[in-house]
Amino acid sequence: MQHIALIYGGQSAEHEVSLISARNILHAIDLNRYLVTLIRIDHSRQWIHSASSGESDVLKADLSASGEPVYLTSGGALGFREDPKRSLKIDIAFPVLHGINGEDGTIQGLLQLYGIPFVGPGVLSSSVCMDKDVSKRLLSEAGILVPKFEVLHHGGRNVPSYDYISHQLGSPLFVKPANAGSSVGISKVKTINEYQEAVEIAFRYDRKVIVEQAIEGREIECAVLGRNPVRVSVSGEIKTTHSFYSYEAKYHDETATELIIPASLPDEVNHRIRDVTIQVCDVLGCHGMARVDFFLDTNDRLFVNEVNTIPGFTSGSMYPLLWQYSGVSFTELVDALLADALQTHRRQSQLTQRP
């Protein structure tokens, strides 16, 4: 049986969301085919072994409980600090680390150095997609529509005034950390006071902040799976009673948001969404696993909002729901992601390392 390390938690503001995603993925894994070890990264960067199937009823494990400190060793094994003679060989890693130090290429780079296959896009794609500034520039360079935006740097030149930036981008505006997910640190602003407060909030989460034009229209998402060829799910639409799809609307106010799957769209628009999604994957390299978020404006223009390379797996998360409606069950989805991780690792291993 292949041994999966489910890595979750992390240092980001999305730590708690990660625990929920990990729990749902754990219940979707076929334990008749795979051994599973739970590894939580706590807020202080400590790697904690929570449980392993075969040693305990892993499905009943407390994902936030204390456990044994562990570390990665050469050869892709898990070492135990308090028992140096003990180790567990890892065949596949499934990182469920939303946000900084998880979704941004850092954990992917570590796993690659240790030769461990992992679910999701590689180092560069993860890093690029996490940075809304860089990803938007690359997409725009490729002729893909993105909302107009300005970039603010902490400690850089003076923050542009609200009058200046609203003249450039219109009003209302969105202010968001360049590197964050789950709508953490995002504000929708219409006044100078709201703008100043929003910039201050966003800088708490990142040293770089995006100020972005608000696109009036519908919020559409679709999911990506595998590569060569990439599979694209049906489209889904998000409707919320909040002023935008905020962290509160996503995770704390169950009555605020409606997920409509499939989105009610003309065939021509659905085909266009699919084509642009594939183009986004080619430009940003976000094959394997990703969720691509769009705005469809009142003139049927399609804007890419952002790309999430470790999408949520909560009960209300679009990524697994989109695949479920597309005919792929949660267990089948997890199986496909694990198979893609192994296939990608094999292909990478075949590349020549020396001249």
Side-chain angles (χ1 to χ4, degrees), residues 47 58-59 82 111 140 214 299:
W47 286 45
V58 71
L59 294 177
E82 296 174 2
L111 294 168
S140 182
N299 294 316

Side-chain angles (χ1 to χ4, degrees), residues 25 85 98 134 184 191:
I25 292 169
K85 295 182 180 179
H98 305 308
V134 175
V184 171
T191 68

Side-chain angles (χ1 to χ4, degrees), residues 7-32:
I7 307 172
Y8 61 94
Q11 300 167 260
S12 81
E14 300 165 79
H15 182 99
E16 283 68 30
V17 178
S18 172
L19 267 64
I20 299 170
S21 291
R23 170 67 68 188
N24 288 335
I25 292 169
L26 173 61
H27 280 267
I29 294 174
D30 185 352
L31 295 180
N32 293 315

Side-chain angles (χ1 to χ4, degrees), residues 65-214:
S66 58
E68 301 172 90
V70 292
Y71 58 95
L72 292 178
T73 70
S74 59
L78 195 66
F80 291 75
R81 294 194 182 280
E82 296 174 2
D83 187 0
K85 295 182 180 179
R86 184 183 175 197
S87 67
L88 291 172
K89 179 70 170 68
I90 296 172
D91 296 308
I92 316 171
F94 198 140
V96 198
L97 298 161
H98 305 308
I100 293 294
N101 290 335
E103 196 172 346
D104 57 0
T106 49
I107 189 72
Q108 291 80 7
L110 179 65
L111 294 168
Q112 185 170 308
L113 281 172
Y114 281 97
I116 300 172
F118 57 88
V119 170
V123 176
L124 179 60
S125 177
S126 299
S127 179
V128 165
C129 290
M130 187 69 186
D131 191 314
K132 297 176 180 66
D133 170 31
V134 175
S135 59
K136 288 178 189 294
R137 292 179 192 274
L138 288 172
L139 292 173
S140 182
E141 174 81 11
I144 299 171
L145 282 178
V146 298
K148 293 188 294 183
F149 67 98
E150 295 277 346
V151 180
L152 313 182
H153 295 274
H154 192 275
R157 60 182 175 83
N158 293 333
V159 173
S161 69
Y162 177 76
D163 287 343
Y164 169 81
I165 212 158
S166 61
H167 178 73
Q168 297 296 314
L169 304 178
S171 180
L173 297 164
F174 282 101
V175 179
K176 57 182 74 173
N179 293 273
S182 294
S183 299
V184 171
I186 296 181
S187 305
K188 186 177 183 179
V189 303
K190 297 179 181 179
T191 68
I192 183 172
N193 290 336
E194 290 176 342
Y195 170 69
Q196 291 171 341
E197 181 182 6
V199 169
E200 182 180 334
I201 291 171
F203 272 132
R204 294 175 190 169
Y205 296 97
D206 196 11
R207 307 288 288 183
K208 184 165 63 170
V209 165
I210 299 288
V211 184
E212 187 176 87
Q213 117 186 81

